[in-house]
Amino acid sequence: MYTFEEIIGHRGVILNLQQMIKHKKVSHSYIFDGISGIGKKTIALTFAKTLQCLKKEITPCNECSSCRAFDSGNHPDVFFISTDKKSLGVDEVRDNIQKDIETKPYKYRYKIYIVDQADKMTIQAQNALLKTIEEPPSYGIIMFISTNYKQFLPTILSRCSLVKLNPLKPGEIKDYFKTSPVDPNMIDLYITFSGGSIGAVKKMMESEYFLEIRENVIRWVNEIHTGDLMKLFEIQKEMENYKEEIDFVLDLMYAWYRDILLIKQIGNNPYILNKDKINLLLNTGTDLSYNKLGRSLDAIENAKRQLRQNANFQLALEIMLLHIKENAHER
């Protein structure tokens, strides 16, 4: 059931949409933009449901025939368009929107088209839609959902109301998962690496890939300090297997050293991310000085900065590992 009250965060965005409805200033085209998994689709669908509600208020009544049809997934005047292809082509746009919108609504006030991953539309598809957006029928509303609004042509952008959704706050995400079967020792770690996305947290919870990388990072940290120089090159080779996720790998490594530093300074505290590894953090921190930990954190930051500047991938990792190793026993 789609209602504004159930949506996590985005209160300002929701209030603006409700004010548009209240003051009858609804546009004919919208772009809901933001990172994956923060609620763009849910907000667009709830907005569409509210616009079609027969009570004509700023939130759906969930009782009228329109709301019931919407919740059943069989609303005759709301259309959800998506594709599994790499791009959304001109034929799909013409068949699903351009031609169909010429026919008046079957039963309700508007004909609403919600286009998922709309930033995948080809230039030809966008150009095909341009006339429809410029001169829409009074009953026509098109909602685009995107993760990168800059992929739209300037002519499309200038004719749409851009609704920009910011990443969710950690507390908002935590509230969402209060009733979910998630390990309380892991939720803060998931949230830290989610980028403010509930969807990203769900993916980490459902996939073993996140935990696999973290276990490798923990092992690498231990081997850096206990192994010889040859071991460093072995670690660097292993890290190359995660080239596409290297930012994530380095962030996990940074978080591990950060937790060791925190636990040495304050002991077990709520700001530690790897709560399920407290004993291991304590053991690792025994032989690492504050100086050493600070330099390790700096080495990781330097590697991330060099990689952002397109430095040699292998060399940047080697230098980072060597710098961490060099100061292993420094006090």
Side-chain angles (χ1 to χ4, degrees):
M1 185 180 292
Y2 290 90
T3 64
F4 285 125
E5 292 75 21
E6 293 177 351
I7 295 172
I8 300 296
H10 310 302
R11 290 298 109 192
V13 166
I14 291 169
L15 180 61
N16 286 338
L17 293 175
Q18 290 179 318
Q19 290 300 308
M20 290 178 191
I21 297 170
K22 182 178 180 179
H23 297 292
K24 297 180 173 58
K25 292 185 178 180
V26 176
S27 299
H28 286 283
S29 52
Y30 291 86
I31 295 173
F32 291 87
D33 187 82
I35 61 173
S36 296
I38 59 170
K40 302 183 300 294
K41 191 187 302 182
T42 301
I43 289 176
L45 287 166
T46 307
F47 186 39
K49 180 181 177 181
T50 307
L51 290 171
Q52 297 288 41
C53 178
L54 298 181
K55 293 287 183 70
K56 296 183 180 180
E57 296 179 354
I58 62 171
T59 193
C61 72
N62 298 320
E63 296 174 353
C64 68
S65 61
S66 176
C67 285
R68 291 198 304 271
F70 189 96
D71 288 336
S72 71
N74 295 308
H75 199 288
D77 293 316
V78 177
F79 308 91
F80 190 79
I81 299 152
S82 62
T83 182
D84 293 327
K85 300 176 184 177
K86 289 185 177 179
S87 61
L88 191 62
V90 64
D91 290 338
E92 291 162 296
V93 164
R94 281 177 178 158
D95 292 342
N96 292 305
I97 303 176
Q98 204 171 15
K99 293 178 182 177
D100 189 79
I101 203 171
E102 294 173 2
T103 307
K104 290 184 178 180
Y106 174 77
K107 187 175 181 180
Y108 298 101
R109 187 177 183 186
Y110 298 105
K111 284 190 87 169
I112 302 176
Y113 302 84
I114 301 172
V115 186
D116 195 20
Q117 295 179 293
D119 43 350
K120 289 169 62 174
M121 281 194 297
T122 63
I123 291 175
Q124 293 82 357
Q126 292 185 52
N127 280 323
L129 267 183
L130 188 56
K131 189 174 188 303
T132 303
I133 293 175
E134 286 177 332
E135 301 173 9
S138 60
Y139 53 79
I141 297 176
I142 302 174
M143 301 182 188
F144 299 114
I145 299 172
S146 80
T147 55
N148 184 6
Y149 72 92
K150 294 179 181 178
Q151 294 296 319
F152 292 105
L153 295 171
T155 46
I156 295 287
L157 279 173
S158 65
R159 290 162 177 80
C160 293
S161 295
L162 178 62
V163 181
K164 197 83 176 72
L165 276 69
N166 294 319
L168 294 166
K169 297 174 182 177
E172 292 171 335
I173 300 177
K174 205 163 189 176
D175 285 343
Y176 178 87
F177 288 101
K178 269 184 178 177
T179 57
S180 299
V182 56
D183 184 347
N185 288 324
M186 293 294 292
I187 189 62
D188 287 334
L189 191 64
Y190 289 142
I191 290 173
T192 297
F193 292 98
S194 71
S197 163
I198 285 174
V201 172
K202 287 180 177 178
K203 284 183 180 178
M204 284 186 275
M205 288 169 58
E206 295 165 0
S207 170
E208 294 182 0
Y209 193 57
F210 172 85
L211 296 178
E212 172 197 310
I213 295 178
R214 187 175 71 133
E215 289 302 322
N216 282 334
V217 166
I218 294 170
R219 175 173 57 83
W220 292 335
V221 169
N222 180 62
E223 291 176 347
I224 289 169
H225 300 295
T226 59
D228 55 19
L229 288 178
M230 287 304 298
K231 177 56 71 175
L232 294 189
F233 293 106
E234 290 176 18
I235 294 170
Q236 182 265 317
K237 289 294 182 186
E238 283 190 61
M239 293 180 80
E240 283 189 29
N241 294 327
Y242 298 102
K243 189 170 184 177
E244 297 301 317
E245 300 89 9
I246 195 62
D247 274 348
F248 178 50
V249 169
L250 294 180
D251 284 344
L252 276 170
M253 185 175 283
Y254 190 95
W256 186 256
Y257 279 113
R258 167 198 171 278
D259 279 357
I260 295 173
L261 189 60
L262 279 176
I263 210 165
K264 282 178 72 73
Q265 290 177 327
I266 311 171
N268 193 357
N269 70 82
Y271 298 106
I272 289 173
L273 299 175
N274 295 277
K275 291 184 175 66
D276 60 323
K277 303 286 186 180
I278 291 294
N279 290 335
L280 187 54
L281 288 166
L282 284 167
N283 291 336
T284 307
T286 302
D287 297 324
L288 298 178
S289 67
Y290 293 120
N291 221 8
K292 161 61 190 156
L293 290 166
R295 293 191 180 192
S296 296
L297 292 170
D298 289 343
I300 296 167
E301 283 287 2
N302 287 335
K304 287 183 65 178
R305 184 165 52 252
Q306 289 169 10
L307 291 171
R308 282 195 297 268
Q309 297 169 351
N310 295 318
N312 181 279
F313 184 82
Q314 179 180 340
L315 186 60
L317 292 183
E318 286 180 0
I319 291 172
M320 177 193 75
L321 294 170
L322 284 167
H323 282 174
I324 293 174
K325 178 69 174 175
E326 279 174 4
N327 302 295
H329 303 293
E330 191 169 313
R331 294 294 167 185

